Amino acid sequence: MYKPDELTGALVLEVRTKHKLSRVQFSDLVGFTGKSPARLNNIEKNDSWKVGDREMVAAALTKLAAGDPATW
């Protein structure tokens, strides 16, 4: 399980690319729907987080770690 306060942009990029997900696909998984992939880019490249982002991303990373697409 990923802890929100331990996340870094580099970790998010590493896990996303390991699972071969585009920024758009990962943004949808996180729940950033209706927003451009620029928000995810800011997280990955600049380690710039908005309020609530860490919790949403941590939940998505935990789903990926579980490996069960039915939970996505």
Side-chain angles (χ1 to χ4, degrees):
M1 177 168 179
Y2 291 89
K3 296 180 182 178
D5 58 337
E6 296 177 357
L7 292 181
T8 64
L11 176 65
V12 174
L13 175 62
E14 177 185 329
V15 174
R16 180 182 62 79
T17 55
K18 175 184 165 191
H19 289 278
K20 296 182 172 102
L21 294 172
S22 70
R23 280 196 178 103
V24 172
Q25 291 170 315
F26 189 74
S27 291
D28 288 344
L29 178 64
V30 170
F32 290 163
T33 53
K35 302 180 188 322
S36 75
R39 185 168 178 184
L40 183 57
N41 184 62
N42 287 335
I43 290 171
E44 292 178 345
K45 301 294 182 188
N46 303 321
D47 207 29
S48 174
W49 302 80
K50 293 187 179 192
V51 175
D53 284 355
R54 288 182 185 271
E55 291 77 13
M56 293 172 69
V57 171
L61 293 177
T62 300
K63 288 179 186 178
L64 285 175
D68 181 6
T71 64
W72 303 355

